[in-house]
Coordinates of all heavy atoms in Angstrom, one line a residue:
W1 N 0.8 -1.2 0.0 CA 0.0 0.0 0.0 C 0.9 1.2 0.0 O 0.3 2.4 -0.2 CB -0.9 0.0 1.2 CG -2.2 -0.9 1.0 CD1 -3.2 -0.6 0.3 CD2 -2.2 -2.3 1.3 NE1 -4.0 -1.8 0.2 CE2 -3.4 -2.8 0.9 CE3 -1.3 -3.1 2.0 CZ2 -3.8 -4.1 1.1 CZ3 -1.7 -4.5 2.3 CH2 -3.0 -5.0 1.7
N2 N 2.1 1.2 0.3 CA 3.0 2.4 0.3 C 2.4 3.5 1.1 O 2.3 4.7 0.6 CB 3.2 2.9 -1.2 CG 4.3 3.9 -1.3 OD1 5.2 3.9 -0.5 ND2 4.2 4.7 -2.2
S3 N 1.8 3.2 2.2 CA 1.1 4.1 3.1 C 1.8 4.0 4.5 O 1.9 2.9 5.1 CB -0.3 3.8 3.2 OG -0.9 4.4 4.3
A4 N 2.2 5.1 5.0 CA 2.8 5.2 6.3 C 1.9 4.8 7.4 O 2.3 4.2 8.4 CB 3.4 6.6 6.6
G5 N 0.6 5.1 7.2 CA -0.5 4.9 8.1 C -0.7 3.4 8.2 O -0.7 2.8 9.3
V6 N -0.8 2.7 7.1 CA -1.0 1.2 7.0 C 0.2 0.5 7.6 O 0.1 -0.4 8.4 CB -1.3 0.8 5.7 CG1 -1.3 -0.8 5.6 CG2 -2.5 1.3 5.1
T7 N 1.4 1.0 7.3 CA 2.7 0.4 7.7 C 2.8 0.5 9.3 O 3.2 -0.4 9.9 CB 3.8 1.1 7.1 OG1 3.8 1.0 5.7 CG2 5.2 0.3 7.5
T8 N 2.3 1.6 9.8 CA 2.4 1.8 11.3 C 1.4 0.8 11.9 O 1.7 0.2 12.9 CB 2.1 3.2 11.6 OG1 3.0 4.1 11.0 CG2 2.1 3.5 13.2
I9 N 0.2 0.7 11.4 CA -0.8 -0.2 11.9 C -0.3 -1.6 11.9 O -0.4 -2.3 12.9 CB -2.1 -0.1 11.1 CG1 -2.7 1.3 11.4 CG2 -3.1 -1.2 11.5 CD1 -3.9 1.6 10.5
C10 N 0.4 -2.0 10.8 CA 1.0 -3.4 10.6 C 2.0 -3.6 11.7 O 2.0 -4.7 12.4 CB 1.5 -3.6 9.3 SG 0.4 -3.7 7.9
A11 N 2.8 -2.6 12.0 CA 3.9 -2.7 13.0 C 3.3 -2.9 14.4 O 3.8 -3.7 15.2 CB 4.8 -1.5 12.9
L12 N 2.3 -2.2 14.7 CA 1.6 -2.2 16.0 C 1.0 -3.5 16.2 O 0.9 -4.1 17.3 CB 0.8 -1.0 16.2 CG 1.5 0.4 16.4 CD1 0.4 1.4 16.5 CD2 2.3 0.3 17.8
L13 N 0.4 -4.0 15.1 CA -0.5 -5.2 15.3 C 0.4 -6.4 15.3 O 0.0 -7.4 16.0 CB -1.5 -5.2 14.1 CG -2.6 -4.3 14.3 CD1 -3.5 -4.4 13.0 CD2 -3.6 -4.7 15.5
V14 N 1.5 -6.5 14.6 CA 2.3 -7.7 14.7 C 2.9 -7.7 16.1 O 3.1 -8.8 16.7 CB 3.4 -7.6 13.6 CG1 4.5 -6.7 13.9 CG2 4.0 -9.1 13.5
L15 N 3.3 -6.6 16.7 CA 3.8 -6.5 18.0 C 2.6 -6.9 19.1 O 2.9 -7.7 19.9 CB 4.2 -5.1 18.4 CG 4.7 -4.8 19.8 CD1 5.9 -5.7 20.1 CD2 5.0 -3.3 20.0
T16 N 1.5 -6.5 18.8 CA 0.3 -6.9 19.7 C 0.1 -8.3 19.6 O -0.2 -9.0 20.6 CB -1.0 -6.1 19.2 OG1 -0.7 -4.7 19.3 CG2 -2.2 -6.5 20.2
G17 N 0.2 -8.9 18.3 CA 0.0 -10.3 18.2 C 1.0 -11.1 18.9 O 0.7 -12.2 19.6
H18 N 2.2 -10.7 19.0 CA 3.3 -11.4 19.7 C 3.1 -11.3 21.2 O 3.3 -12.3 21.9 CB 4.6 -10.7 19.4 CG 5.8 -11.4 20.1 ND1 6.3 -12.7 19.8 CD2 6.5 -11.1 21.2 CE1 7.3 -13.0 20.6 NE2 7.4 -12.1 21.4
I19 N 2.6 -10.2 21.7 CA 2.4 -10.0 23.1 C 1.2 -10.8 23.6 O 1.1 -11.4 24.7 CB 2.3 -8.5 23.5 CG1 3.7 -7.8 23.2 CG2 1.9 -8.3 24.9 CD1 3.6 -6.3 23.4
W20 N 0.1 -10.7 22.8 CA -1.2 -11.3 23.2 C -1.6 -12.2 22.0 O -2.5 -11.9 21.3 CB -2.3 -10.3 23.4 CG -1.9 -9.5 24.6 CD1 -2.0 -9.9 25.9 CD2 -1.6 -8.0 24.7 NE1 -1.7 -8.8 26.8 CE2 -1.4 -7.7 26.0 CE3 -1.4 -7.1 23.8 CZ2 -1.0 -6.5 26.5 CZ3 -1.0 -5.8 24.1 CH2 -0.9 -5.4 25.5
P21 N -1.0 -13.4 21.8 CA -1.3 -14.3 20.7 C -2.5 -15.1 20.9 O -2.8 -15.7 21.9 CB 0.0 -15.1 20.6 CG 0.4 -15.2 22.1 CD 0.2 -13.8 22.7
V22 N -3.3 -15.0 19.8 CA -4.7 -15.8 19.9 C -4.3 -17.3 19.9 O -5.3 -18.0 20.5 CB -5.5 -15.3 18.7 CG1 -4.8 -15.9 17.4 CG2 -6.9 -16.0 18.8
F23 N -3.3 -17.8 19.4 CA -3.1 -19.2 19.3 C -2.7 -19.9 20.6 O -2.9 -21.1 20.8 CB -1.9 -19.5 18.3 CG -2.3 -19.0 16.9 CD1 -1.4 -18.1 16.2 CD2 -3.5 -19.3 16.2 CE1 -1.7 -17.7 15.0 CE2 -3.7 -18.8 15.0 CZ -2.8 -18.0 14.3
I24 N -2.3 -19.1 21.6 CA -1.9 -19.7 22.9 C -2.6 -18.9 24.1 O -2.0 -18.7 25.1 CB -0.4 -19.8 23.0 CG1 0.2 -18.4 22.9 CG2 0.2 -20.8 22.1 CD1 1.8 -18.5 23.2
G25 N -3.8 -18.5 23.9 CA -4.6 -18.0 25.0 C -4.2 -16.5 25.4 O -4.4 -16.1 26.5
F26 N -3.7 -15.8 24.4 CA -3.4 -14.4 24.6 C -2.3 -14.1 25.7 O -2.3 -13.0 26.3 CB -4.7 -13.6 24.9 CG -5.7 -13.8 23.9 CD1 -6.7 -14.6 24.2 CD2 -5.7 -13.0 22.7 CE1 -7.8 -14.7 23.2 CE2 -6.6 -13.2 21.8 CZ -7.7 -14.0 22.0
K27 N -1.5 -15.0 25.9 CA -0.3 -14.9 26.8 C 1.0 -15.2 26.1 O 1.4 -16.3 25.9 CB -0.5 -15.9 28.0 CG -1.7 -15.6 28.9 CD -1.8 -16.6 30.1 CE -3.1 -16.3 30.8 NZ -3.2 -17.2 32.0
G28 N 1.6 -14.1 25.6 CA 2.7 -14.2 24.8 C 4.0 -13.7 25.3 O 4.2 -13.7 26.5
G29 N 4.9 -13.1 24.5 CA 6.1 -12.7 24.9 C 6.1 -11.1 25.3 O 5.0 -10.6 25.4
R30 N 7.3 -10.6 25.5 CA 7.4 -9.2 25.9 C 7.6 -8.2 24.8 O 7.6 -7.1 25.0 CB 8.5 -9.1 27.0 CG 8.3 -9.9 28.2 CD 9.3 -9.6 29.3 NE 8.9 -10.3 30.6 CZ 9.2 -11.5 30.9 NH1 9.9 -12.3 30.1 NH2 8.7 -12.1 32.0
G31 N 7.7 -8.7 23.6 CA 7.7 -7.9 22.4 C 9.0 -7.3 22.0 O 9.1 -6.5 21.0
T32 N 10.2 -7.6 22.7 CA 11.4 -6.9 22.4 C 11.8 -7.2 21.0 O 12.2 -6.3 20.2 CB 12.4 -7.4 23.4 OG1 12.0 -7.0 24.7 CG2 13.8 -6.6 23.0
A33 N 11.9 -8.5 20.5 CA 12.4 -8.8 19.3 C 11.5 -8.3 18.2 O 12.0 -7.8 17.2 CB 12.6 -10.4 19.2
S34 N 10.3 -8.5 18.3 CA 9.3 -8.0 17.2 C 9.3 -6.5 17.1 O 9.3 -6.0 16.1 CB 7.9 -8.5 17.6 OG 7.8 -9.9 17.6
G35 N 9.4 -5.9 18.3 CA 9.5 -4.4 18.2 C 10.7 -3.9 17.7 O 10.7 -2.9 16.9
W36 N 11.8 -4.5 18.0 CA 13.2 -4.3 17.5 C 13.2 -4.3 16.1 O 13.7 -3.4 15.2 CB 14.2 -5.2 18.2 CG 15.6 -4.8 17.9 CD1 16.2 -3.6 17.5 CD2 16.7 -5.7 17.9 NE1 17.6 -3.7 17.3 CE2 17.9 -5.0 17.6 CE3 16.8 -7.0 18.3 CZ2 19.2 -5.7 17.6 CZ3 18.0 -7.7 18.3 CH2 19.2 -7.0 17.9
A37 N 12.7 -5.5 15.5 CA 12.6 -5.7 14.0 C 11.8 -4.6 13.3 O 12.2 -4.0 12.3 CB 12.2 -7.0 13.8
A38 N 10.6 -4.3 13.9 CA 9.8 -3.4 13.3 C 10.4 -1.9 13.2 O 10.3 -1.2 12.3 CB 8.4 -3.3 14.0
L39 N 11.1 -1.7 14.4 CA 11.8 -0.3 14.4 C 12.8 -0.3 13.2 O 13.0 0.8 12.7 CB 12.5 -0.3 15.7 CG 13.1 1.0 16.1 CD1 12.1 2.2 16.2 CD2 14.0 0.9 17.3
F40 N 13.6 -1.3 13.0 CA 14.6 -1.3 12.0 C 14.0 -1.1 10.6 O 14.6 -0.3 9.8 CB 15.4 -2.5 12.0 CG 16.7 -2.5 12.7 CD1 16.9 -3.1 13.9 CD2 17.7 -1.8 12.1 CE1 18.1 -3.0 14.5 CE2 19.0 -1.7 12.8 CZ 19.2 -2.4 14.0
V41 N 12.8 -1.7 10.4 CA 12.2 -1.5 9.1 C 11.6 0.0 8.9 O 11.8 0.5 7.9 CB 11.1 -2.5 8.9 CG1 10.3 -2.2 7.5 CG2 11.6 -3.9 9.0
L42 N 11.0 0.4 9.9 CA 10.3 1.8 9.8 C 11.4 2.8 9.9 O 11.3 3.8 9.1 CB 9.5 2.1 11.1 CG 8.3 1.1 11.2 CD1 7.5 1.4 12.5 CD2 7.3 1.3 10.0
S43 N 12.5 2.7 10.7 CA 13.5 3.7 10.8 C 14.8 3.0 11.1 O 15.2 2.8 12.3 CB 13.2 4.8 11.8 OG 14.2 5.6 12.1
P44 N 15.6 2.7 10.1 CA 16.9 2.1 10.3 C 17.9 2.8 11.3 O 18.5 2.2 12.1 CB 17.5 2.0 8.9 CG 16.4 1.9 8.0 CD 15.4 2.8 8.7
I45 N 17.8 4.1 11.3 CA 18.5 5.0 12.2 C 18.2 4.7 13.6 O 19.0 4.5 14.4 CB 18.4 6.4 11.9 CG1 19.1 6.8 10.4 CG2 19.1 7.3 12.9 CD1 18.9 8.2 10.0

């Protein structure tokens, strides 16, 4: 979509999914790795 808004939503939702995953009862990780990776994609600096 080449949209900053959509990209931001995707980044937040993949992080939310990792923290509260539907597949294992909404009890997931702390989000560090997923957030770190998303940060690199959005802003390498």
Side-chain angles (χ1 to χ4, degrees):
W1 285 277
N2 192 30
S3 164
V6 173
T7 303
T8 303
I9 291 172
C10 291
L12 287 172
L13 285 173
V14 73
L15 178 60
T16 302
H18 180 77
I19 295 173
W20 293 290
V22 64
F23 301 125
I24 53 172
F26 302 101
K27 296 179 180 180
R30 294 187 173 89
T32 302
S34 294
W36 185 25
L39 184 67
F40 260 109
V41 177
L42 296 176
S43 172
I45 294 175

